Each structure stands twice: as C-alpha cells, then as structure tokens.
Amino acid sequence: MEKKKTSVHLPHDLIILILLRLPVKYLIRFKCVCKSWFSLISEPHFAKSQFQFTTATHTRRIIGLSSLSHEIRSIDVDAWLNDDLPSANLNFLLPKSYFPFEIIGSCGGFLFLYRFPDIYLWNPSTGFKKQIPVSSFDSNKPHDNLYGFGYDQSRDDYVLVVFSHVSSHLEVFSFPDNTWKEIEGTNFAYADPSHRKGFLFNEAIHWLAWSCDLNLDVIIVFDLIKRKLIEIPLQNDFGGLTLDADSGLWVFGETLSIWILTSDGERIEIWVLKEYKVHSSWNKTLVLSVDFIPDNLNVSPMYSTKNGEIIIVTTDGSILVKYNSKGQLLEHQSFCNAPSKVVMYTESLLSLPGDNE
C-alpha cells in the first residue's frame, strides 16, 4: 500500500529567523514565493531587523553610475576576484539632464545623489528613491557649500547636511518633519575646500578643509547625535605632502585615515589616525604603487575589505585595483565603460523614516 505523503510546515517564527539571515538579493527574489512572504519581507521592521542581524555579513558593493550613458555597474567588494563580475541590471530612474550629478555619500543602503537643484536618496537594492526638497539656503550659492549624509541612531533618522564654508550656515534635513532646520553655533571660517563631500565615520560627518582662523589644515567634524560642529587640527606635515584635491579621508580597517597621492602621481601614502580626535597621532602605515595607471587618470582609495585588502578606483570609474593588507598589488580590472561616479554602499531593504510610500 502506497504511503501517504505528508507536508512539513515550519513555524512562522522559525521562517522569520531563517529569512533574517539571508542576503538582500535573495530576499528580493523570495518576495515572489507567496503573499505572506511578500508582506513579511516588505515590512520596515523586518528590513531593519535584517540589517542589524547581518551586520557582520553585510554585502558591500561598489557601484558606478554614468549620467551621460546611464550605464550602471555594480560589483561585490569582497567577492569581485572570484565570480562576481560587474553587472548592469539595476533600475536607475533619475530624470535625464545634461549636467552630471554627484554622489555625496552612502548610508544604510541609500545613496545621496545631488544635481542642482535636485536631491535624491536612492536604494539600489530595492529601486526605492525619494526626492528631497532643496533648502532655500542651498539654492542661493550651492558652489559655496559642503554636503554630508549619515544616520542618527538616537532619533532613528537619516541626516542630510549642507554647510557653507563662507557664511558658516549649517542646516540638516529631518525626514519625519520633511523640512530643513538650521543648526546654531557653527561660526567657523574656511578657505574654499577641494572636498565638498563629507565622509561618514563614527556617527559623524567629516570634511578636509583649511581653517582661516588657525591657518592650517583641519578636519571639520559634525556630530550627528549632538548636532555639534568641531575641528581636528592637522598639525602634521605628512612628509611634506599637500592635502589638496589628490587626497582625502577614508576608513582603513576600522580607523579614520588620510590618503595622499604623491606629486609624481606614482604612489599613494596611507596615514592612520591612531587615536580619534587627537591631532598628533597620525602615522604613515602603507605606501601603494599606482605608477601603472595612465597619467590622465587620477585615483583614490575606496574601501578596505573584511580581510584587510584595499580597493582603489580611478576617478572616472574605469579601473578597479586591489592590494593586500601589506600594500602589495594583487590584481586590477576594468569596471565602467563610460565616465562614472563611483561609491561603496551596503545592500539593504531599508526604507526612510516617516515615509509611507
């Protein structure tokens, strides 16, 4: 006699625990399994829990966006030398314009895209995008302003920052209130910075600038929790190298660092801040050789992988280069076919606070 087949039903709580452990790309596919899974994976609470639960295994991607050809290239930061080749299957739906946009930064899976007078936040993983109203202050002299993007965990709020190095006027955008708010007590004067994009580290936005009051290079720090602006003086000559457009802030391992391209364009020096906010604790840690890259292409570090390897990219996005933790060249490959803006972001299913779309 033929045995009757029995179906196995997993408890709903167990299904949730299993799904929470999966990468974003699989969860997006699994929305099509059934209506209950679609509803579960679409919930903001599930998205937040999944992002927090998988902190150690987040998929981090480098993405290249071309505003001219509308080409999109994306590659896994930690797996790119194995079998994860660049792909162009993402949906990018910004209005077409002759003027190229800037990628100000990334946080929580969102990219901050700016092309005056348009501001967008876009999640490449889900395709979600939101246009942000332009600050009336920013619309006057956008070329005088510095920009930043981060997340305030104490308020559960993403934060857009616009700061004038001329007038010291600083505003932040609040998503629950859908409005810009001025921050008082930011009376600092800076020369025209070569870096307008803020760097997110340790729940604060950082900019490299020249302080007119101190007459030296500083790191401007805007604390997203305290909503306060401070300075870190850079009383280090960095081996005689100049902090100009061929330098910048990044995170090497888990430490705030500065990269500087030498004047001959053949090497990048990595200087690490051993103790955060202590201006005298900079040490030169690595020197990367970039003499094989064509002279007409500038480079900058992008990210350090989970095992300590370093990825740099040409400023037009055409070449990606990987070094080991000792600064030895491992491999390089072509990336974007058209001039592109490039940034690293973390895959997520997250939505924006106060957004009911």
Side-chain angles (χ1 to χ4, degrees), residues 1 4 18 35 67 72 101 145 165 169-170 190 251 278 282-283 351 354 356:
M1 184 176 179
K4 186 177 180 180
I18 294 173
K35 290 183 178 180
S67 58
I72 300 174
F101 55 81
N145 299 331
H165 69 88
H169 184 99
L170 190 150
Y190 303 101
V251 174
V278 177
W282 293 94
N283 292 320
S351 55
N356 296 320

Side-chain angles (χ1 to χ4, degrees), residues 20 22 42 73 76 98 100 120 191 215 247 256 266 295 348 356:
L20 285 174
L22 297 180
S42 300
R73 306 285 279 179
D76 190 308
Y98 175 81
Y120 284 89
N215 198 33
S247 62
L256 184 66
E266 295 186 352
D295 294 338
S348 83
N356 296 320

Side-chain angles (χ1 to χ4, degrees), residues 3-9:
K3 292 184 178 181
K4 186 177 180 180
K5 295 181 180 180
T6 59
S7 58
V8 177
H9 296 281

Side-chain angles (χ1 to χ4, degrees), residues 144-147 163-166 188-199 205-221 229-236 238 242-245 247-249 258 282:
D144 290 339
N145 299 331
L146 308 179
Y147 301 91
F163 173 59
S164 170
H165 69 88
V166 176
F188 298 90
Y190 303 101
D192 189 13
S194 56
H195 303 276
R196 300 187 183 278
K197 304 174 187 178
F199 186 82
I205 307 295
H206 301 71
W207 297 272
L208 276 177
W210 177 267
S211 171
C212 298
D213 297 329
L214 300 178
N215 198 33
L216 53 80
D217 290 304
V218 298
I219 297 177
I220 310 170
V221 182
L229 202 68
I230 63 172
E231 292 179 341
I232 302 178
L234 298 179
Q235 296 176 344
N236 189 315
F238 296 101
T242 304
L243 298 181
D244 53 18
S247 62
L249 296 167
I258 290 179
W282 293 94

